[in-house]
Amino acid sequence: LLADVSGHGVPAALIVSIVKIAFWFQRALLNRPSELLMEMNRALLGNIGSEFVTGCYVYFDQAAGEIHVSNAGHPPAYFLDRKEQTLNSVRPAGRILGILEEPVFSTDVQPFGQGSRMVIYTDGVLEAVNESGAFFGAERLEELIVRTAELDAESVAQAILDAVMQWSGGEHQIGDDVAIIVLDSVDRTAADH
């Protein structure tokens, strides 16, 4: 789960704690992403004031070689086939958490075999602004994900963070929190040895 709380400072930090607890209490639903987000929404509703939470939840079904993705008003997840150099953005229908009583969440299933990469991130990546007020944006992020296809997951996350910091004019110029998760598939035969 990658979640992003509206607001800043101590109130947002307290809401993060509530989100962690809400997630933990739904652990029986880990393999059912849309249901998990629905139950998290029920737990958060009325307990986080006027704030809200966006989130992207992914469940990796290793036996099937699939990732199940559900979204709660969060930026799209990216899936890169490193062999074919094709990039897909995935954003299943879903509303933000903690505001609506009966939001609808759907789940998208993506193949995740050898050579696959998934990238999820917070909106601080897309909304980073440069000195001219231009956003970093999705197109720049997509180009970077494809250009760094040969790097390992940790290096890709660092490359994205470095690009956002450079775009913004330095670490202290970024106006929002930035979180990035990069997940690579593992060659099972190599992993077994």
Side-chain angles (χ1 to χ4, degrees):
L1 173 68
L2 181 59
D4 194 6
V5 175
S6 64
H8 297 281
V10 173
L14 293 173
I15 293 171
V16 167
S17 297
I18 295 169
V19 169
K20 286 181 177 182
I21 292 167
F23 178 76
W24 178 247
F25 277 110
Q26 307 316 318
R27 65 188 176 273
L29 300 173
L30 291 176
N31 63 344
R32 299 192 303 275
S34 58
E35 292 177 49
L36 181 137
L37 289 180
M38 178 61 81
E39 292 305 317
M40 282 186 66
N41 184 70
R42 286 191 179 117
L44 295 173
L45 196 61
N47 290 312
I48 57 174
S50 62
E51 301 299 338
F52 61 87
V53 178
T54 69
C56 182
Y57 176 69
V58 297
Y59 172 75
F60 177 46
D61 183 340
Q62 187 172 4
E66 299 173 336
I67 287 189
H68 301 236
V69 181
S70 285
N71 190 297
H74 203 75
Y78 285 106
F79 286 86
L80 175 68
D81 181 326
R82 291 183 289 166
K83 292 179 193 170
E84 302 295 323
Q85 293 288 297
T86 56
L87 184 69
N88 295 323
S89 75
V90 175
R91 189 178 189 192
R95 301 291 187 147
I96 57 178
L97 301 170
I99 300 292
L100 301 173
E101 287 189 28
E102 292 297 325
V104 175
F105 301 100
S106 61
T107 299
D108 190 275
V109 179
Q110 293 291 310
F112 203 71
Q114 188 175 355
S116 296
R117 170 172 286 160
M118 180 196 69
V119 179
I120 56 177
Y121 50 93
T122 56
D123 63 0
V125 171
L126 302 179
E127 295 173 0
V129 294
N130 65 10
E131 62 184 20
S132 302
F135 288 114
F136 187 81
E139 186 176 317
R140 192 168 279 102
L141 176 59
E142 291 167 3
E143 290 171 1
L144 186 56
I145 292 169
V146 172
R147 192 172 67 241
T148 58
E150 297 305 315
L151 299 178
D152 63 73
E154 185 176 341
S155 298
V156 172
Q158 189 62 53
I160 294 169
L161 182 58
D162 290 345
V164 169
M165 286 191 295
Q166 183 178 5
W167 181 260
S168 302
E171 178 181 354
H172 300 292
Q173 300 302 316
I174 298 174
D176 196 1
D177 289 335
V178 171
I180 304 157
I181 297 174
V182 180
L183 178 66
D184 284 345
S185 64
V186 176
D187 180 357
R188 285 187 178 165
T189 43
D192 291 340
H193 291 96

